[in-house]
mmCIF file of all heavy atoms in Angstrom:
data_model
loop_
_atom_site.group_PDB
_atom_site.id
_atom_site.type_symbol
_atom_site.label_atom_id
_atom_site.label_comp_id
_atom_site.label_asym_id
_atom_site.label_seq_id
_atom_site.Cartn_x
_atom_site.Cartn_y
_atom_site.Cartn_z
ATOM 1 N N GLN K 33 -36.216 72.204 -43.616
ATOM 2 C CA GLN K 33 -35.991 70.784 -43.995
ATOM 3 C C GLN K 33 -36.279 69.811 -42.844
ATOM 4 O O GLN K 33 -35.847 69.981 -41.773
ATOM 5 C CB GLN K 33 -34.490 70.570 -44.456
ATOM 6 C CG GLN K 33 -34.175 71.365 -45.655
ATOM 7 C CD GLN K 33 -34.892 70.797 -46.839
ATOM 8 O OE1 GLN K 33 -35.139 69.614 -46.985
ATOM 9 N NE2 GLN K 33 -35.208 71.704 -47.885
ATOM 10 N N PRO K 34 -37.245 68.846 -43.024
ATOM 11 C CA PRO K 34 -37.604 67.924 -41.936
ATOM 12 C C PRO K 34 -36.398 67.040 -41.539
ATOM 13 O O PRO K 34 -35.501 66.853 -42.348
ATOM 14 C CB PRO K 34 -38.685 67.054 -42.532
ATOM 15 C CG PRO K 34 -38.401 67.128 -44.029
ATOM 16 C CD PRO K 34 -37.840 68.505 -44.322
ATOM 17 N N ALA K 35 -36.391 66.578 -40.180
ATOM 18 C CA ALA K 35 -35.381 65.646 -39.701
ATOM 19 C C ALA K 35 -35.380 64.336 -40.456
ATOM 20 O O ALA K 35 -36.405 64.001 -41.056
ATOM 21 C CB ALA K 35 -35.639 65.374 -38.191
ATOM 22 N N THR K 36 -34.247 63.678 -40.422
ATOM 23 C CA THR K 36 -34.104 62.397 -41.173
ATOM 24 C C THR K 36 -35.155 61.391 -40.662
ATOM 25 O O THR K 36 -35.311 61.184 -39.388
ATOM 26 C CB THR K 36 -32.730 61.776 -41.026
ATOM 27 O OG1 THR K 36 -31.805 62.808 -41.480
ATOM 28 C CG2 THR K 36 -32.548 60.488 -41.798
ATOM 29 N N ALA K 37 -35.852 60.823 -41.497
ATOM 30 C CA ALA K 37 -36.865 59.828 -41.134
ATOM 31 C C ALA K 37 -36.296 58.593 -40.514
ATOM 32 O O ALA K 37 -35.201 58.181 -40.861
ATOM 33 C CB ALA K 37 -37.700 59.404 -42.317
ATOM 34 N N PRO K 38 -36.924 58.140 -39.389
ATOM 35 C CA PRO K 38 -36.294 56.961 -38.711
ATOM 36 C C PRO K 38 -36.281 55.749 -39.694
ATOM 37 O O PRO K 38 -37.163 55.574 -40.532
ATOM 38 C CB PRO K 38 -37.252 56.688 -37.534
ATOM 39 C CG PRO K 38 -38.546 57.321 -37.937
ATOM 40 C CD PRO K 38 -38.203 58.535 -38.795
ATOM 41 N N THR K 39 -35.199 54.931 -39.388
ATOM 42 C CA THR K 39 -35.022 53.744 -40.292
ATOM 43 C C THR K 39 -36.149 52.758 -39.991
ATOM 44 O O THR K 39 -36.472 52.462 -38.814
ATOM 45 C CB THR K 39 -33.647 53.036 -39.958
ATOM 46 O OG1 THR K 39 -32.636 54.040 -40.167
ATOM 47 C CG2 THR K 39 -33.468 51.886 -40.879
ATOM 48 N N VAL K 40 -36.692 52.266 -40.969
ATOM 49 C CA VAL K 40 -37.768 51.273 -40.825
ATOM 50 C C VAL K 40 -37.160 50.026 -40.308
ATOM 51 O O VAL K 40 -36.190 49.486 -40.707
ATOM 52 C CB VAL K 40 -38.432 51.022 -42.240
ATOM 53 C CG1 VAL K 40 -39.495 49.975 -42.076
ATOM 54 C CG2 VAL K 40 -38.982 52.288 -42.766
ATOM 55 N N ASP K 41 -37.807 49.386 -39.195
ATOM 56 C CA ASP K 41 -37.326 48.125 -38.582
ATOM 57 C C ASP K 41 -37.523 47.029 -39.579
ATOM 58 O O ASP K 41 -38.637 46.698 -39.991
ATOM 59 C CB ASP K 41 -38.197 47.881 -37.307
ATOM 60 C CG ASP K 41 -37.696 46.628 -36.628
ATOM 61 O OD1 ASP K 41 -36.657 46.029 -37.048
ATOM 62 O OD2 ASP K 41 -38.299 46.253 -35.589
ATOM 63 N N PRO K 42 -36.440 46.354 -40.003
ATOM 64 C CA PRO K 42 -36.586 45.262 -40.985
ATOM 65 C C PRO K 42 -37.335 44.094 -40.371
ATOM 66 O O PRO K 42 -37.783 43.222 -41.217
ATOM 67 C CB PRO K 42 -35.124 44.863 -41.341
ATOM 68 C CG PRO K 42 -34.332 45.259 -40.099
ATOM 69 C CD PRO K 42 -35.027 46.529 -39.603
ATOM 70 N N HIS K 43 -37.385 43.959 -39.030
ATOM 71 C CA HIS K 43 -38.121 42.839 -38.469
ATOM 72 C C HIS K 43 -39.510 43.167 -38.017
ATOM 73 O O HIS K 43 -40.115 42.461 -37.270
ATOM 74 C CB HIS K 43 -37.394 42.325 -37.264
ATOM 75 C CG HIS K 43 -36.002 41.913 -37.578
ATOM 76 N ND1 HIS K 43 -35.694 40.744 -38.294
ATOM 77 C CD2 HIS K 43 -34.743 42.467 -37.289
ATOM 78 C CE1 HIS K 43 -34.395 40.644 -38.447
ATOM 79 N NE2 HIS K 43 -33.759 41.663 -37.830
ATOM 80 N N ALA K 44 -40.025 44.413 -38.507
ATOM 81 C CA ALA K 44 -41.353 44.845 -38.079
ATOM 82 C C ALA K 44 -42.368 43.852 -38.533
ATOM 83 O O ALA K 44 -42.362 43.394 -39.737
ATOM 84 C CB ALA K 44 -41.684 46.278 -38.753
ATOM 85 N N GLY K 45 -43.222 43.440 -37.588
ATOM 86 C CA GLY K 45 -44.247 42.421 -37.930
ATOM 87 C C GLY K 45 -43.835 41.033 -37.711
ATOM 88 O O GLY K 45 -44.627 40.049 -37.842
ATOM 89 N N HIS K 46 -42.500 40.742 -37.402
ATOM 90 C CA HIS K 46 -42.018 39.369 -37.167
ATOM 91 C C HIS K 46 -42.277 38.975 -35.684
ATOM 92 O O HIS K 46 -42.228 39.806 -34.792
ATOM 93 C CB HIS K 46 -40.539 39.284 -37.422
ATOM 94 C CG HIS K 46 -40.181 39.439 -38.835
ATOM 95 N ND1 HIS K 46 -38.921 39.269 -39.342
ATOM 96 C CD2 HIS K 46 -40.928 39.722 -39.908
ATOM 97 C CE1 HIS K 46 -38.914 39.466 -40.649
ATOM 98 N NE2 HIS K 46 -40.121 39.774 -41.019
ATOM 99 N N ASP K 47 -42.542 37.676 -35.489
ATOM 100 C CA ASP K 47 -42.799 37.193 -34.103
ATOM 101 C C ASP K 47 -41.516 36.759 -33.480
ATOM 102 O O ASP K 47 -40.867 35.757 -33.946
ATOM 103 C CB ASP K 47 -43.728 35.986 -34.134
ATOM 104 C CG ASP K 47 -44.069 35.464 -32.745
ATOM 105 O OD1 ASP K 47 -43.709 36.118 -31.766
ATOM 106 O OD2 ASP K 47 -44.655 34.344 -32.580
ATOM 107 N N ARG K 48 -41.001 37.484 -32.533
ATOM 108 C CA ARG K 48 -39.650 37.214 -31.939
ATOM 109 C C ARG K 48 -39.772 36.696 -30.525
ATOM 110 O O ARG K 48 -38.857 36.764 -29.685
ATOM 111 C CB ARG K 48 -38.761 38.493 -31.922
ATOM 112 C CG ARG K 48 -38.694 39.145 -33.270
ATOM 113 C CD ARG K 48 -37.838 40.395 -33.240
ATOM 114 N NE ARG K 48 -36.493 40.074 -32.850
ATOM 115 C CZ ARG K 48 -35.589 41.093 -32.606
ATOM 116 N NH1 ARG K 48 -35.910 42.348 -32.633
ATOM 117 N NH2 ARG K 48 -34.433 40.803 -32.194
ATOM 118 N N GLY K 49 -40.970 36.236 -30.193
ATOM 119 C CA GLY K 49 -41.178 35.737 -28.774
ATOM 120 C C GLY K 49 -40.343 34.540 -28.492
ATOM 121 O O GLY K 49 -39.993 34.276 -27.310
ATOM 122 N N LYS K 50 -39.901 33.739 -29.429
ATOM 123 C CA LYS K 50 -39.191 32.481 -29.175
ATOM 124 C C LYS K 50 -37.679 32.688 -29.416
ATOM 125 O O LYS K 50 -36.891 31.703 -29.331
ATOM 126 C CB LYS K 50 -39.661 31.328 -30.085
ATOM 127 C CG LYS K 50 -41.103 30.972 -29.731
ATOM 128 C CD LYS K 50 -41.476 29.767 -30.593
ATOM 129 C CE LYS K 50 -42.945 29.365 -30.336
ATOM 130 N NZ LYS K 50 -43.369 28.191 -31.091
ATOM 131 N N MET K 51 -37.226 33.867 -29.780
ATOM 132 C CA MET K 51 -35.812 34.126 -30.005
ATOM 133 C C MET K 51 -35.166 34.588 -28.774
ATOM 134 O O MET K 51 -35.576 35.534 -28.119
ATOM 135 C CB MET K 51 -35.661 35.147 -31.161
ATOM 136 C CG MET K 51 -36.274 34.744 -32.459
ATOM 137 S SD MET K 51 -36.086 36.004 -33.751
ATOM 138 C CE MET K 51 -34.311 36.100 -33.838
ATOM 139 N N ASP K 52 -34.042 33.880 -28.435
ATOM 140 C CA ASP K 52 -33.285 34.259 -27.255
ATOM 141 C C ASP K 52 -32.280 35.328 -27.583
ATOM 142 O O ASP K 52 -31.573 35.291 -28.550
ATOM 143 C CB ASP K 52 -32.458 33.002 -26.684
ATOM 144 C CG ASP K 52 -33.371 31.907 -26.219
ATOM 145 O OD1 ASP K 52 -34.496 32.209 -25.794
ATOM 146 O OD2 ASP K 52 -32.963 30.740 -26.312
ATOM 147 N N ALA K 53 -32.278 36.320 -26.721
ATOM 148 C CA ALA K 53 -31.351 37.435 -26.938
ATOM 149 C C ALA K 53 -29.951 36.953 -26.767
ATOM 150 O O ALA K 53 -29.636 36.210 -25.759
ATOM 151 C CB ALA K 53 -31.717 38.565 -26.000
ATOM 152 N N GLN K 54 -29.056 37.260 -27.684
ATOM 153 C CA GLN K 54 -27.667 36.861 -27.611
ATOM 154 C C GLN K 54 -26.889 37.962 -26.794
ATOM 155 O O GLN K 54 -27.071 39.129 -27.046
ATOM 156 C CB GLN K 54 -26.996 36.721 -28.940
ATOM 157 C CG GLN K 54 -27.704 35.619 -29.756
ATOM 158 C CD GLN K 54 -27.419 34.317 -29.144
ATOM 159 O OE1 GLN K 54 -26.404 34.059 -28.603
ATOM 160 N NE2 GLN K 54 -28.411 33.384 -29.255
ATOM 161 N N PRO K 55 -26.026 37.560 -25.887
ATOM 162 C CA PRO K 55 -25.237 38.600 -25.113
ATOM 163 C C PRO K 55 -24.341 39.291 -26.059
ATOM 164 O O PRO K 55 -23.782 38.779 -26.985
ATOM 165 C CB PRO K 55 -24.468 37.767 -24.107
ATOM 166 C CG PRO K 55 -24.469 36.375 -24.656
ATOM 167 C CD PRO K 55 -25.696 36.217 -25.449
ATOM 168 N N ALA K 56 -24.154 40.562 -25.724
ATOM 169 C CA ALA K 56 -23.204 41.368 -26.510
ATOM 170 C C ALA K 56 -21.801 40.858 -26.347
ATOM 171 O O ALA K 56 -21.405 40.374 -25.287
ATOM 172 C CB ALA K 56 -23.382 42.823 -26.100
#
Side-chain angles (χ1 to χ4, degrees):
Q33 291 295 327
T36 304
T39 305
V40 178
D41 183 5
H43 301 290
H46 292 184
D47 182 10
R48 304 179 65 188
K50 295 183 179 180
M51 298 178 62
D52 297 330
Q54 298 295 326

